[in-house]
Amino acid sequence: VVLKPATTEEVSQLLKHCNSRNLAVVPQGGRTGLVGGSVPVFDEVVISTSLMNKVINIDKVSGILVCQAGCVLEALDNQLAEHNLIMPLDLGAKGSCQIGGNVSTNAGGLRLLRYGSLHGSVLGVEAVLADGTIVDCLATLRKDNTGYDVKQLFIGSEGTLGIITAVAVAVPTRPQSVTVCFVACKSYSEVQETFSRARGNLGEILSACEFMDSKCMEMVQQKLGLVNPLGSDFPFYVLVEASGSNPVHDQEKVAAFVESALNDGIIEDGTLATEPSKIQQIWGLRERIAEAMMHDGIQRKFDISLPINRLYDIVEEMRRRIGSRANTILGYGHLGDGNLHLNITSAAHDKSLDADIVPFVYEWTAGEKGSISAEHGLGVMKPQYIGYSKSPEAVRLMKAIKASFDPKGILNPYKVLTSGQS
């Protein structure tokens, strides 16, 4: 059963009914998650927010957006563009993902380096608890130091504590200038130096820094027919984006950054783009890697967070561990916030291969004090591995919070915490 309420009050009535009858509920937004957080496991009632797509208010002076949870991210960004504002979040799935789902999963994305996480950008949340209680924390204040910041509990809780029905988001001024450079490096140590140089040279206009290895380039070329703008193959590539208010100033800074990195031997080659079509072409190389991998066999995707100096080591470790049993092993991700996307494919399902991958990847990550889920959440696929990133004491606190907000456990069961944990 899929129910589509249009208002917060309707969500409240539905949850009150389900809770009284012990009916499990799965909140569902744009269904773009990668860990099954919005997917029913058995016969749960699905509550979709797709009809809750109204913009409530845009404050152009304060730079604050208030909207319902079902608004599509790209539609919000387009509407904000009319007011010279921009969403602080950008994802490959922006054309279909919904802001309520973004907040519920604390989505990261491509602009986190510049604008930070949703824990900082979200000013207010309206949510409905399992028993139908409406929690109105939909404040638009940037400063409010009155007790516990309750809204933070809903951000990243993946619909297990309540269904988010509306959000207030701080939206920055839209940059008037965007310059992208795509550069090549011969080692991961030079990738790190490139990022360090970009931070030092570009400063306040640095808005994104992404990296990909040679296997990623090979995949997008072979599977999707994309073109390497540098014309030659290199071990690593780094995409640096700068966004500011003065096109001449910004382009000069980016050009000076590339020139100095070339002269000092940090990068091997590079190209700049200021035209929207060329910028889109370069970003496509990075954003379409996941799409290319869909054509390379059975996929195993990992979204992990690590210290930047150790970010690529797990890719090399998995190549040594698995070798030719995999079709492809590659790594790419958000260099600016230490988020690696490790992808492994094989020609067919292979249980022995799977056993050599999981839980080894999580054990290795835990050993480096990393996180087994940097931005995708736990959903239904990773709850049993939460102990690799959270201490027993932290898990006990999570269980207590869950029991307080949802005593009957009807909200998104089997997600985040396993049945034994919740």
Side-chain angles (χ1 to χ4, degrees):
V1 176
V2 179
L3 304 174
K4 295 185 176 183
T7 67
T8 300
E9 185 57 39
E10 289 180 355
V11 174
S12 174
Q13 292 299 316
L14 290 173
L15 284 179
K16 189 178 298 183
H17 175 87
C18 291
N19 192 62
S20 68
R21 289 161 176 78
N22 297 320
L23 298 175
V25 171
V26 173
Q28 199 170 86
R31 297 177 296 171
T32 59
L34 296 176
V35 290
S38 65
V39 178
V41 176
F42 294 110
D43 57 353
E44 299 93 311
V45 174
V46 173
I47 295 183
S48 168
T49 55
S50 59
L51 297 183
M52 303 181 71
N53 55 8
K54 294 182 175 59
V55 172
I56 299 170
N57 185 54
I58 297 175
D59 186 334
K60 294 180 287 186
V61 176
S62 299
I64 298 172
L65 162 74
V66 181
C67 66
Q68 287 185 301
C71 292
V72 173
L73 180 60
E74 188 172 44
L76 289 175
D77 197 52
N78 291 338
Q79 192 162 346
L80 288 171
E82 299 174 7
H83 304 282
N84 197 33
L85 299 170
I86 188 173
M87 286 298 291
L89 175 70
D90 187 21
L91 304 171
K94 58 190 172 187
S96 52
C97 67
Q98 298 175 9
I99 189 63
N102 297 150
V103 175
S104 293
T105 57
N106 189 29
L110 305 170
R111 293 176 181 161
L112 192 140
L113 175 62
R114 176 70 168 267
Y115 299 119
S117 78
L118 290 176
H119 277 293
S121 299
V122 174
L123 303 177
V125 164
E126 178 186 73
V128 183
L129 302 185
D131 64 0
T133 300
I134 298 172
V135 180
D136 184 0
C137 294
L138 200 59
T140 58
L141 303 174
R142 294 178 185 270
K143 300 179 74 173
D144 178 10
N145 200 17
T146 52
Y148 304 140
D149 194 357
V150 175
K151 72 172 183 292
Q152 298 292 351
L153 290 173
F154 295 104
I155 302 171
S157 66
E158 301 186 49
T160 61
L161 300 182
I163 297 181
I164 293 176
T165 53
V167 295
V169 183
V171 288
T173 300
R174 183 171 289 269
Q176 301 303 302
S177 159
V178 177
T179 305
V180 167
C181 67
F182 190 71
V183 302
C185 299
K186 62 184 179 182
S187 68
Y188 182 69
S189 63
E190 289 186 351
V191 169
Q192 296 178 73
E193 290 184 49
T194 300
F195 174 51
S196 181
R197 179 70 63 95
R199 285 194 303 173
N201 288 14
L202 302 180
E204 77 287 352
I205 66 171
L206 178 62
S207 54
C209 189
E210 305 284 311
F211 90 100
M212 52 193 280
D213 63 17
S214 60
K215 282 292 183 180
C216 295
M217 181 63 77
E218 182 181 313
M219 283 293 106
V220 296
Q221 287 179 303
Q222 291 182 359
K223 307 298 183 180
L224 303 178
L226 302 188
V227 177
N228 182 346
L230 301 182
S232 300
D233 297 329
F234 296 92
F236 293 94
Y237 303 89
V238 180
L239 187 160
V240 176
E241 181 187 84
S243 305
S245 58
N246 187 323
V248 175
H249 167 267
D250 298 343
Q251 292 168 24
E252 288 178 349
K253 289 191 76 170
V254 175
F257 153 69
V258 173
E259 183 178 0
S260 68
L262 275 169
N263 291 339
D264 292 343
I266 296 174
I267 64 176
E268 306 302 308
D269 196 2
T271 183
L272 270 66
T274 57
E275 297 177 0
S277 60
K278 190 175 180 183
I279 290 175
Q280 186 177 13
Q281 180 185 18
I282 291 176
W283 266 112
L285 294 169
R286 161 62 182 85
E287 290 188 305
R288 298 184 67 186
I289 296 170
E291 178 187 349
M293 293 299 285
M294 293 174 65
H295 303 282
D296 196 53
I298 303 302
Q299 297 187 75
R300 299 159 186 84
K301 296 183 177 183
F302 298 91
D303 160 52
I304 57 180
S305 185
L306 291 161
I308 293 176
N309 67 322
R310 298 285 280 161
L311 197 61
Y312 197 71
D313 289 355
I314 183 60
V315 181
E316 296 173 331
E317 179 64 29
M318 294 312 294
R319 286 174 179 159
R320 287 190 293 267
R321 183 178 178 86
I322 296 173
S324 60
R325 289 186 293 160
N327 281 0
T328 304
I329 301 174
L330 56 75
Y332 65 98
H334 314 297
L335 191 63
D337 49 63
N339 180 186
L340 174 75
H341 297 299
L342 167 66
N343 281 206
I344 302 171
T345 63
S346 63
H349 289 287
D350 185 335
K351 290 185 178 180
S352 65
L353 177 61
D354 292 339
D356 280 343
I357 297 173
V358 177
F360 177 79
V361 171
Y362 298 141
E363 293 170 347
W364 192 96
T365 301
E368 297 298 326
K369 305 297 183 183
S371 170
I372 66 166
S373 185
E375 62 181 0
H376 294 163
L378 296 173
V380 73
M381 297 173 65
K382 297 182 181 179
Q384 66 270 39
Y385 304 117
I386 192 173
Y388 289 110
S389 293
K390 291 289 186 288
S391 68
E393 294 76 19
V395 173
R396 281 198 291 271
L397 282 174
M398 292 171 68
K399 288 166 55 180
I401 293 169
K402 171 68 172 174
S404 175
F405 278 56
D406 180 18
K408 293 185 177 181
I410 71 163
L411 285 174
N412 223 7
Y414 323 110
K415 317 293 172 57
V416 181
L417 297 168
T418 63
S419 56
Q421 292 164 337
S422 59

